[in-house]
Amino acid sequence: MADKAAGKKPVLLSGGNPQIAKGYGDGPVQEYISAMPGWKQDVGRRIDEIVERTIPGVDKAIKWNSPFYGVARPVWFLSFHCFDRYIKVTFFDGASLDPEPPVKSKYPQVRYFHIHEGEEIDEDQFADWVKQASQLPGERL
């Protein structure tokens, strides 16, 4: 809290991922998004807006320096994380989505959607994935 009072910005970890304390609710997620560097901040804001619009009342948290979204805490259906050249959106039960997000994981059920600088998000497809994911069992974390 002293850092916030002193006006210091959050530390950016490897890949430019903001270091934000674990917390629940919209506040910590907005703090994370505000600390995202460069073009990633606009993308983070769009992701958050699409999720909120698609799932009214969605539960939010910051865990492991990443925003998490769910419908029944402590179960989460989506998260995202900053890397040097892209933002990785994680769908915890992504193998059950139709169509599946394009990037496979070493975990059989997890699928990723990577967003690079300058790429447009197909908002209809993304919102459809969010809606589908919110109706699945999710991941207890």
Side-chain angles (χ1 to χ4, degrees):
M1 293 293 184
D3 283 351
K4 286 183 190 176
K8 291 185 180 179
K9 292 185 176 194
V11 171
L12 294 180
L13 302 170
S14 176
N17 195 56
Q19 183 177 30
I20 302 295
K22 178 181 175 181
Y24 293 93
D26 188 51
V29 170
Q30 295 310 315
E31 184 180 348
Y32 176 95
I33 291 169
S34 293
M36 292 171 76
W39 64 270
K40 296 171 189 166
Q41 188 174 112
D42 289 336
V43 173
R45 196 166 282 118
R46 285 303 304 139
I47 291 169
D48 187 67
E49 289 170 357
I50 293 167
V51 174
E52 279 190 339
R53 182 179 68 233
T54 305
I55 312 299
V58 68
D59 196 16
K60 300 180 185 184
I62 294 292
K63 299 166 93 43
W64 303 287
N65 298 305
S66 296
F68 281 69
Y69 297 84
V71 291
R73 194 181 306 172
V75 179
W76 309 99
F77 63 85
L78 179 145
S79 179
F80 67 88
H81 190 90
C82 290
F83 287 91
D84 281 329
R85 294 184 177 93
Y86 63 95
I87 296 173
K88 177 191 284 190
V89 180
T90 303
F91 289 94
F92 295 110
D93 201 4
S96 298
L97 303 179
D98 183 24
E100 291 182 9
V103 183
K104 292 189 177 194
S105 169
K106 65 181 179 180
Y107 303 103
Q109 278 305 111
V110 175
R111 294 293 183 275
Y112 303 118
F113 176 61
H114 295 171
I115 305 165
H116 296 85
E117 184 174 10
E119 290 181 345
E120 293 292 322
I121 299 172
D122 179 340
E123 292 193 19
D124 290 337
Q125 178 61 73
F126 191 81
D128 185 54
W129 282 332
V130 167
K131 183 176 181 179
Q132 289 180 61
S134 73
Q135 297 168 350
L136 297 170
E139 188 68 30
R140 183 177 292 274
L141 300 168

